[in-house]
Amino acid sequence: MTTGKSAGSGTRPARRRLSVDRRREELMAAALELFSKRDAEDVSIDDVASAAGASRALVYHYFGGKQELYVAALTSAAEQLESRLRPQDGGRPLEELALGLRRYFDFVEEHAAGFAALLRGGPANRAGEVGEIVDGVRRRLFLMIQKQMRVEEPSPVLRTTLRSWIASVETAGLDWLEHRDIERPTLEKMLVDHMVALLGVAATYDPSVELLLADVA
């Protein structure tokens, strides 16, 4: 009769051994979740370590400090969003715009924390590297729209109009995440109609936009 404990009895399960990339991804995901709800200055390395089930030393090992972690997490979110915004030819301008919005809101829905962390906060959080990351996403979206509308070089009026619309899309995304009291297809269609309305206003100030609106609509 065996008196010893069976193999593995009374022992703690071994800690999961993750690859470097996988561990970094887990830490960044935990950080994005926190940054999406609180200002970056209110999130500590200890908060991130606790949320990720890791040690404080491990977070420092991979990222060096909170600012490095913040930038890495936002860069990851931005790269994922930008991959959705690559222009795709084949349809009429408004059809392509609608498809682009659908891909944009797919990201908003699937990566809510990343989207919220990327766009959350005021001007104080938009300096240096962080500001460059956010502006990079906006430039990608601007170029996508410009290509969809077959515009080589937008006039000042059109440029202002498109950038204003992009700001509206960002605000709509954050509002939808907070409330979710409007169906996504309805919101996406409303934003397409919003674009047409903005172009209509711009057309009264710029004849070239009037021609563009006739082609787009």
Side-chain angles (χ1 to χ4, degrees), residues 112-135:
F115 178 81
L118 190 62
L119 297 180
R120 191 174 183 277
N125 295 327
R126 295 292 172 251
E129 290 179 278
V130 176
E132 291 176 7
I133 294 167
V134 177
D135 286 343

Side-chain angles (χ1 to χ4, degrees), residues 159-178:
R159 183 192 66 240
T160 301
T161 299
L162 297 184
R163 294 180 78 172
S164 298
W165 183 78
I166 290 170
S168 297
V169 171
E170 292 177 356
T171 301
L174 290 171
D175 182 82
W176 184 80
L177 282 179
E178 181 180 356

